[in-house]
């Protein structure tokens, strides 16, 4: 998990998406990878999510060496086991509960749970987790992490949901205590070409790494 945390911290942005088409999913991963992305969250938001994820993992080692491909929007034990068996590098949930955490710890699954309240964060903290997703981020505000961070020394935060895919907004979140941000539809737009997505990511990473 330490390797995953470091890669997320270094990258600063985690693209997340789902598409029913495997071809579109593969092309999106390819565009992100060519733009410099090495950590991606595929989301469990459709009937073909598991099938597509398995195929993506099968080709990742040869087509996208060094890529960490995780799964998001996992809400129960069965889904967690399905994706753990599909060799997900990490699993992200939109929610948190004791059952999910205990199962992940027992199975040695790299879990990044979704939290919103200090009580949520505390549940993760008391079980030894050191990265949580703040979701939905746009409902908490940019100062939220800075407000709760002192209570949980060593805990890292990744706001997701409503974060704009532009340098200024991302920088504000990072200044507010975020380790990285999750970027969904604000980055991966349905009307983008793969070339435009690659260019967008390249420019964004370049800006973030200059600061």
């Amino acid at each position: 998990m330490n390797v995953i945390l470091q890669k997320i911290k270094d990258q600063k942005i985690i693209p997340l998406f789902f598409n029913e088409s495997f071809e579109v999913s593969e092309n999106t991963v390819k565009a992100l990878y060519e733009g410099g992305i090495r950590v991606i969250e595929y989301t469990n938001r459709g009937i073909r999510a598991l099938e597509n994820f398995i195929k993506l993992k099968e080709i990742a080692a040869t087509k996208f060496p060094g890529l960490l491909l995780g799964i998001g929007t996992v809400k129960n034990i069965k889904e967690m086991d399905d994706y753990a068996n599909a060799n997900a590098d990490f699993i992200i949930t939109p929610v948190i509960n004791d059952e999910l955490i205990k199962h992940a710890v027992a199975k040695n699954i790299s879990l990044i749970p979704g939290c919103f309240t200090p009580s949520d964060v505390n549940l993760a903290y008391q079980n030894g987790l050191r990265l949580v997703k703040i979701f939905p981020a746009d409902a908490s505000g940019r100062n939220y992490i800075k407000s709760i961070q002192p209570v949980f020394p060593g805990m890292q935060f990744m706001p997701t949901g409503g974060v704009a895919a532009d340098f200024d907004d991302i920088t504000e979140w990072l200044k507010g205590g975020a380790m990285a941000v999750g970027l969904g539809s604000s980055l991966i737009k349905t009307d983008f070409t793969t070339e435009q997505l690659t260019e967008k990511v390249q420019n964004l990473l370049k800006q973030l790494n200059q600061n």
Side-chain angles (χ1 to χ4, degrees):
M1 187 64 175
N2 288 338
V3 173
I4 297 171
L5 293 181
Q6 189 59 52
K7 285 199 172 186
I8 292 174
K9 184 177 182 180
D10 291 343
Q11 190 168 280
K12 298 183 180 68
I13 60 172
I14 303 301
L16 56 113
F17 80 99
F18 167 75
N19 195 287
E20 290 285 356
S21 164
F22 173 72
E23 182 181 4
V24 172
S25 296
E26 180 183 1
N27 288 338
T28 302
V29 171
K30 183 174 183 287
L32 293 167
Y33 186 86
E34 290 181 348
I37 293 295
R38 293 298 180 269
V39 185
I40 295 173
E41 173 192 343
Y42 197 67
T43 54
N44 179 42
R45 295 191 179 184
I47 58 173
R48 293 186 179 173
L50 180 59
E51 175 188 343
N52 286 351
F53 186 84
I54 290 171
K55 290 180 181 177
L56 288 170
K57 285 296 295 183
E58 286 173 349
I59 66 172
T62 52
K63 289 195 172 183
F64 313 115
L67 176 69
L68 291 179
L69 183 62
I71 185 72
T73 323
V74 171
K75 301 181 292 295
N76 57 57
I77 297 298
K78 183 185 183 303
E79 292 173 348
M80 184 178 286
D81 284 341
D82 284 343
Y83 285 101
N85 292 333
N87 298 315
D89 290 303
F90 55 89
I91 291 177
I92 299 179
T93 64
V95 296
I96 186 170
N97 60 53
D98 195 61
E99 182 185 28
L100 285 172
I101 290 183
K102 291 288 195 281
H103 189 75
V105 171
K107 297 282 188 175
N108 199 30
I109 293 169
S110 296
L111 176 67
I112 304 171
C115 297
F116 188 68
T117 68
S119 294
D120 292 340
V121 177
N122 188 55
L123 182 55
Y125 189 76
Q126 296 302 326
N127 281 278
L129 302 185
R130 288 300 177 261
L131 173 61
V132 297
K133 175 176 77 169
I134 296 298
F135 176 81
D138 54 357
S140 64
R142 295 171 181 167
N143 294 322
Y144 180 66
I145 294 171
K146 188 180 290 185
S147 298
I148 65 172
Q149 205 164 29
V151 184
F152 305 105
M155 180 62 83
Q156 302 285 351
F157 300 88
M158 181 172 68
T160 303
V163 181
D166 68 70
F167 174 74
D168 290 339
D169 196 39
I170 294 169
T171 300
E172 285 300 312
W173 282 103
L174 296 176
K175 286 179 180 178
M179 182 178 82
V181 301
L183 298 176
S185 58
S186 66
L187 175 66
I188 304 170
K189 300 181 183 297
T190 55
D191 58 348
F192 263 30
T193 65
T194 54
E195 291 80 10
Q196 288 172 328
L197 179 56
T198 295
E199 184 179 3
K200 171 76 172 177
V201 168
Q202 284 175 335
N203 291 336
L204 201 49
L205 290 177
K206 183 178 179 181
Q207 284 180 295
L208 291 169
N209 288 328
Q210 287 175 344
N211 287 266

